[in-house]
Amino acid sequence: MILTKAQYDEIAQCLVSVPPTRQSLRKLKQRFPSQSQATLLSIFSQEYQKHIKRTHAKHHTSEAIESYYQRYLNGVGRNGAAPVLLELANEVDYAPSLMARIILERFLQEHEETPPSKSVINSMLRDPSQIPDGVLANQVYQCIVNDCCYGPLVDCIKHAIGHEHEVLLRDMLLEKNLSFLDEDQLRAKGYDKTPDFILQVPVAVEGHIIHWIESKASFGDECSHQAYLHDQFWSYWNSLGSPITKQHRNHSPGGNIQNIQNPSFYI
């Protein structure tokens, strides 16, 4: 099923004033019943990440950080079991996992002799039981599990979905008896940065000669196409020839946004 540019714009516009919660996703599904939950979640996540990038700086001023930290302390002082940090993140329209990082860093700066390293922060976010304060550990945990766009839990899900679709693509190539090299084989041959698969014998698809395939298990909106072109595809194109970029709009093979103008051939 193809999602047209007009349909995408309608969904994206609907998301402008929608908070990133599971309740919002349910309402979105009710409004667009013909679209799969995975499609809506992928678009929802990408649009929200754009919003976070636009507003990131204002949440990281020294004044904002101190204000959030004091509000957190006051909140847990009244009721340590209440979802103080999660509610604060929702109130100021910031991703819960990112708010948890701000408060955790501020807490550690106050209670540790040396400033916390990025690796220590990341480790505590992945496993809040490492946080040396039970109340804060619980608050961080609530933020992580209730964040559908950011955080270590979301990162794990994205990684698993990406790996799943690489496996599905490999199975499709084997089924078609196409000769190919995967990333591991290419690295063993000395390649540094490679697409997911290089076809040892190029094939023709709808009039295009295809040399390599890159799988992206996310919605292929215009912004992500341009980013991938800049970061990966142009270099692949110049060194390896024309590609197929398989960018999923709903975490299943087939279908992506129309009218994206770039040199790649999308399926």
Side-chain angles (χ1 to χ4, degrees), residues 46-105:
Q46 288 177 316
E47 290 299 310
Y48 185 66
Q49 287 173 33
K50 294 175 189 175
H51 167 71
I52 290 298
K53 289 176 182 178
R54 289 193 298 268
T55 61
H56 176 82
K58 75 175 185 179
H59 297 290
H60 283 262
T61 65
S62 57
E63 294 81 5
I65 292 173
E66 196 59 33
S67 172
Y68 296 157
Y69 188 58
Q70 293 305 318
R71 291 182 63 179
Y72 160 74
L73 292 177
N74 292 335
V76 295
R78 291 191 297 269
N79 183 357
V84 174
L85 207 49
L86 179 61
E87 290 178 354
L88 174 60
N90 291 334
E91 179 185 334
V92 301
D93 193 18
Y94 198 48
S97 293
L98 301 183
M99 177 62 74
R101 176 181 286 273
I102 288 176
I103 301 303
L104 177 58
E105 287 181 348

Side-chain angles (χ1 to χ4, degrees), residues 98-161:
L98 301 183
M99 177 62 74
R101 176 181 286 273
I102 288 176
I103 301 303
L104 177 58
E105 287 181 348
R106 178 64 180 81
F107 172 87
L108 293 176
Q109 287 170 1
E110 184 174 291
H111 292 82
E112 300 291 330
E113 294 181 358
T114 57
S117 67
K118 184 176 180 180
S119 62
V120 168
I121 296 293
N122 290 339
S123 179
M124 288 183 177
L125 290 173
R126 287 193 296 268
D127 179 11
S129 67
Q130 298 178 23
I131 298 173
D133 180 272
V135 173
L136 179 56
N138 183 54
Q139 295 287 327
V140 169
Y141 174 77
Q142 291 175 5
C143 287
I144 297 299
V145 299
N146 285 285
D147 195 328
C148 56
C149 298
Y150 282 92
L153 182 59
V154 172
D155 290 341
C156 287
I157 293 171
K158 288 180 178 179
H159 178 77
I161 291 173

